[in-house]
Amino acid sequence: MNATLVLPELDANSFWHDESGFVDMYDVPHFIKTLKYDVRIVMSVPKITAHGKSKKLRAYKIEPPRDAPVTWYRTTALEKLRKYGAIYLTPFSHRLAEEIDDPELQRLRCRVNYHALQFKPNIMKTSSDIVNKLRSEGHFMSIHLRFELDMLAYAGCIDIFTPKEQEILLKYREENFANKTLVYKKRRLIGKCPLTPEEVGLIIRAMGFDNTTRIYLASGKLFGGERFMKPFKAMFPRLENNSMIGSGKLEEDNRGLARSAVDYMVCLLSDIFMPTYDGPSNFANNLMGHRLYYGFRTTITPNRKALAPIFMDMEEGRASGYEERIRQVMFNTHFGAPHKRIHPESFYTNSWPECFCQMKAGNQADRCPPDNVNDVLESQFQNKEDVEAEATNQTDSTSSMETGV
């Protein structure tokens, strides 16, 4: 679109009830510097001067269609931008198609996600301190346990809860999601139900991890409370979270986003990461992609659909041979290794091969950049600015001559 980007806003109130802005969470100078060769970024919508008065340019609000193709932005959005001078795109989650037939645009996504978006120094420091504490006693595993009110209500998997808990889940679903009739067994069989804490424990125990395994738990407030965590803790007592080993500053910071950011970084740096629900979870999907991008770090991704019959048999008292059945399912996964992306796998989960350069590539665009790539880009950037400055000077000179006439 050849447009200037105004620093993004965060939709933190709808779920997190957190007023933190982009500048509170991310290292803004780093963000702007990292992307300076790709797009011009400003802190706010600029002011315009008309009839001797200065006022802020008002952005025209547009709601992009879900998974919009690039052509929508180059036509519909660009037309509005030219007409109004500024546009405000909201909401923006999943508003650009994942599969784009332009490798450079896909690489730009990776530059944004894995290079430009860096948390503020205090968040990075807290995360690093926690990782160092955990690693001082050896390797550790991180688990993103998605067993919270919103996700359980969204999934519609409520049969395992008490009547009172079911009432709460149904009420939340009615108030926040589309009205659909969801049958527990059907949802379970197609892999749409989040794993329970006990099921997570059974999986990693079946894979050979014992009760000395150190686990960092990234999660919000678990629905159902201690009743669901008790079996997991019995199997894996060496359990930690950011409240148990975080710094005093984190304890004082009740912002949900800050705690989630710390969880993200600890999971990113852990020796093994395991998401328990990667459906609409941006947290889990981005982490899997981030870990794959930074050296194919080990990730255990449970196939909930394949595991469902095993756990349903166990619910009905048929538990014979369950560990071997779980092992057969789990050892048939990628564990974070490079593999071709197949629909419906997300680009954010697996950016292979677009975001990975090749040492010996037939296509020049796929080759790894030279060691002095930053110097090359800076030279190109400076030349572009010199050309634009020269063009501006010529325009000003012409305007002055016309005024004189």
Side-chain angles (χ1 to χ4, degrees):
M1 293 171 68
N2 196 29
T4 295
L5 174 68
V6 177
L7 207 63
E9 294 180 359
L10 298 183
D11 174 23
N13 279 315
S14 60
F15 173 75
W16 294 102
H17 306 296
D18 186 336
E19 296 182 358
S20 299
F22 192 90
V23 297
D24 300 309
M25 297 301 300
Y26 293 102
D27 186 336
V28 172
H30 175 82
F31 180 73
I32 294 173
K33 181 181 178 182
T34 304
L35 296 175
K36 79 176 202 175
Y37 305 120
D38 294 296
V39 61
R40 181 170 180 262
I41 302 172
V42 295
M43 297 295 290
S44 60
V45 177
K47 292 183 178 181
I48 56 172
T49 302
H51 308 296
K53 293 183 178 180
S54 179
K55 64 177 183 178
K56 193 172 184 179
L57 183 63
R58 187 174 181 180
Y60 180 81
K61 184 178 176 180
I62 307 177
E63 182 175 331
R66 188 176 177 86
D67 298 319
V70 172
T71 52
W72 183 87
Y73 291 92
R74 288 175 174 161
T75 54
T76 304
L78 187 54
E79 287 171 8
K80 298 295 184 185
L81 179 61
R82 285 171 174 160
K83 181 177 180 180
Y84 295 99
I87 56 174
Y88 177 47
L89 301 171
T90 183
F92 204 70
S93 179
H94 302 288
R95 301 295 156 163
L96 177 64
E98 289 197 19
E99 299 300 329
I100 298 175
D101 191 21
D102 185 335
E104 192 50 42
L105 283 179
Q106 296 291 61
R107 290 173 188 135
L108 175 57
R109 276 177 155 158
C110 290
R111 286 197 291 279
V112 173
N113 286 347
Y114 310 138
H115 295 279
L117 286 172
Q118 182 173 288
F119 294 119
K120 290 181 76 72
N122 63 308
I123 292 175
M124 300 294 278
K125 172 75 167 56
T126 300
S127 306
S128 179
D129 289 346
I130 290 176
V131 170
N132 290 337
K133 285 180 182 178
L134 289 166
R135 195 154 281 150
S136 66
E137 297 187 28
H139 298 298
F140 74 96
M141 173 192 297
S142 63
I143 296 176
H144 181 222
L145 190 55
R146 200 69 168 93
F147 201 72
E148 295 129 339
L149 170 63
D150 67 309
M151 187 53 65
L152 291 164
Y154 172 83
C157 303
I158 67 172
D159 288 35
I160 61 173
F161 296 98
T162 65
K164 180 62 177 177
E165 289 168 341
Q166 290 186 24
E167 185 180 323
I168 294 170
L169 288 166
L170 289 171
K171 184 174 185 294
Y172 188 94
R173 179 172 181 81
E174 183 181 332
E175 293 173 350
N176 294 277
F177 304 116
N179 184 22
K180 291 181 181 178
T181 300
L182 302 177
V183 179
Y184 170 69
K185 284 192 174 181
K186 290 182 179 179
R187 299 289 288 173
R188 181 79 139 145
L189 285 170
I190 60 175
K192 295 297 183 181
C193 290
L195 295 170
T196 68
E198 182 177 11
E199 289 165 354
V200 173
L202 292 173
I203 290 170
I204 55 180
R205 189 172 68 180
M207 294 180 70
F209 295 96
D210 60 27
N211 62 3
T212 65
T213 304
R214 195 153 195 207
I215 296 174
Y216 179 87
L217 197 63
S219 70
K221 184 178 180 181
L222 299 185
F223 190 75
E226 189 62 24
R227 172 166 59 96
F228 284 97
M229 279 303 297
K230 191 174 181 180
F232 184 89
K233 288 180 177 178
M235 287 183 272
F236 297 96
R238 299 187 70 193
L239 196 61
E240 313 277 7
N241 60 34
N242 61 37
S243 295
M244 296 166 72
I245 53 175
S247 66
K249 288 184 179 179
L250 185 63
E251 288 302 308
E252 295 167 9
D253 192 342
N254 292 317
R255 293 179 302 158
L257 279 178
R259 289 178 174 275
S260 185
V262 168
D263 279 347
Y264 184 96
M265 289 308 302
V266 176
C267 289
L268 176 64
L269 298 171
S270 62
D271 298 291
I272 299 173
F273 170 62
M274 179 178 176
T276 60
Y277 193 71
D278 57 330
S281 174
N282 291 332
F283 184 100
N285 284 335
N286 287 353
L287 260 170
M288 286 190 283
H290 207 156
R291 288 177 63 87
L292 183 136
Y293 183 82
Y294 278 113
F296 308 110
R297 294 176 175 174
T298 303
T299 300
I300 299 173
T301 311
N303 183 336
R304 294 187 308 281
K305 185 175 180 179
L307 289 166
I310 303 171
F311 291 130
M312 291 180 77
D313 282 348
M314 293 178 71
E315 286 175 6
E316 295 171 9
R318 298 189 298 273
S320 177
Y322 78 89
E323 285 199 339
E324 181 57 33
R325 292 173 68 189
I326 290 173
R327 274 194 290 274
Q328 289 178 4
V329 171
M330 293 306 301
F331 289 137
N332 191 31
T333 61
H334 298 291
F335 293 104
H339 59 279
K340 185 175 177 60
R341 187 173 64 255
I342 300 174
H343 184 78
E345 189 175 19
S346 168
F347 175 84
Y348 298 107
T349 299
N350 178 14
S351 59
W352 175 276
E354 294 94 332
C355 289
F356 294 80
C357 65
Q358 301 171 31
M359 300 300 291
K360 296 179 181 179
N363 186 346
Q364 179 68 32
D366 295 331
R367 293 180 184 175
C368 290
D371 292 338
N372 66 336
V373 62
N374 286 332
D375 295 335
V376 173
L377 288 171
E378 185 60 37
S379 176
Q380 293 174 351
F381 183 73
Q382 193 61 52
N383 289 339
K384 181 182 177 183
E385 285 197 325
D386 291 343
V387 170
E388 290 176 350
E390 180 64 26
T392 301
N393 290 336
Q394 289 180 2
T395 301
D396 292 344
S397 177
T398 302
S399 299
S400 297
M401 290 174 64
E402 290 175 350
T403 303
V405 172

